[in-house]
Amino acid sequence: MRLCVLDVDSTLITAEVIELIAARAGTRALVAAITERAMQGELDFSASLKERVATLAGVPDTVFADVRAEVEFTPGVRELIAGLQAEGWEVALVSGGFEEIVASLASELGITRFRANRLEVADGRLTGRTIGPVIDRAAKAEALREFAAEVGCALEDAVAIGDGANDLDMMAVAGLGIAWHAKPIVQAQADVALNGPSLAESLPLILARG
């Protein structure tokens, strides 16, 4: 069995979901600035997530459906995933974003394994807090290890694709780490850096590993 784990925001999809939610809260510029610094590796991810999510307090939970309708898959994603699944690969998603969106994306792509943060809701509105353990860079790496064990994939046979500093640990754990239009720190440390128009470019690289 082979395993490919993809980050979600700015990898599987073109946007950062937290910024789309923040647009409804009037805090998009602030959140985008913090997100950028976190993805560059300048800020601790967990602390930055807490700060960003706090700005979302009061947004109606109808935002999940609105944002889901707004997000777009990265060009080539469907081809990549279909190609891997056709070859018997297990594909999983690990995200510092939110399960409320990731679950729907996974379902549409025929993916059953995913892990993401969850937003707390009370009385139909976001509270500005998350629920449960934060999915940071260490948790992403641990998720890849767990998924690999579940499907019987040796870590050296696993592939991880991401764009931000919080993807570095899971990319290091995997046998092949692919940076996709990634921050400089990620491009420098990845095994392969792709900056083309389609994520499907990674398919032959991945399948060449056998």
Side-chain angles (χ1 to χ4, degrees):
M1 177 59 74
R2 298 290 186 266
L3 170 71
C4 181
V5 176
L6 290 95
D7 169 52
V8 176
D9 293 31
S10 296
T11 301
L12 184 84
I13 61 175
T14 59
E16 293 284 333
V17 165
I18 194 166
E19 293 177 15
L20 300 182
I21 299 175
R24 275 76 175 179
T27 59
R28 183 167 190 162
L30 171 62
V31 166
I34 298 171
T35 298
E36 175 66 16
R37 293 186 64 197
M39 294 304 98
Q40 294 281 8
E42 298 174 6
L43 299 176
D44 173 75
F45 181 83
S46 296
S48 75
L49 180 69
K50 183 177 181 179
E51 182 179 358
R52 287 175 289 162
V53 169
T55 76
L56 309 181
V59 174
D61 61 6
T62 52
V63 71
F64 298 135
D66 294 341
V67 166
R68 176 62 185 88
E70 187 177 343
V71 299
E72 298 179 354
F73 287 112
T74 294
V77 156
R78 292 182 185 276
E79 293 84 350
L80 168 62
I81 292 174
L84 289 172
Q85 291 171 335
E87 293 295 325
W89 283 63
E90 180 75 13
V91 181
L93 305 178
V94 180
S95 177
F98 306 116
E99 184 177 311
E100 292 82 359
I101 304 298
V102 173
S104 174
L105 297 170
S107 176
E108 184 170 337
L109 295 168
I111 293 171
T112 58
R113 287 181 169 83
F114 58 87
R115 192 161 298 172
N117 293 299
R118 294 177 60 205
L119 290 169
E120 184 180 68
V121 175
D123 300 322
R125 293 185 179 275
L126 306 190
T127 66
R129 296 184 294 271
T130 57
I131 304 170
V134 171
I135 307 302
D136 57 10
R137 60 189 288 172
K140 282 189 168 189
E142 182 57 31
L144 185 147
R145 291 188 186 94
E146 291 178 13
F147 291 153
E150 288 172 7
V151 303
C153 175
L155 291 178
E156 58 265 27
D157 292 328
V159 175
I161 305 176
D163 72 292
N166 63 328
D167 298 317
L168 285 172
D169 286 10
M170 75 170 182
M171 292 168 69
V173 167
L176 176 64
I178 298 176
W180 171 250
H181 285 272
K183 304 306 181 187
I185 188 175
V186 183
Q187 300 220 25
Q189 296 184 40
D191 298 307
V192 177
L194 298 178
N195 295 289
S198 171
L199 192 54
E201 296 170 34
S202 62
L203 182 60
L205 298 175
I206 296 170
L207 294 181
R209 296 175 57 80

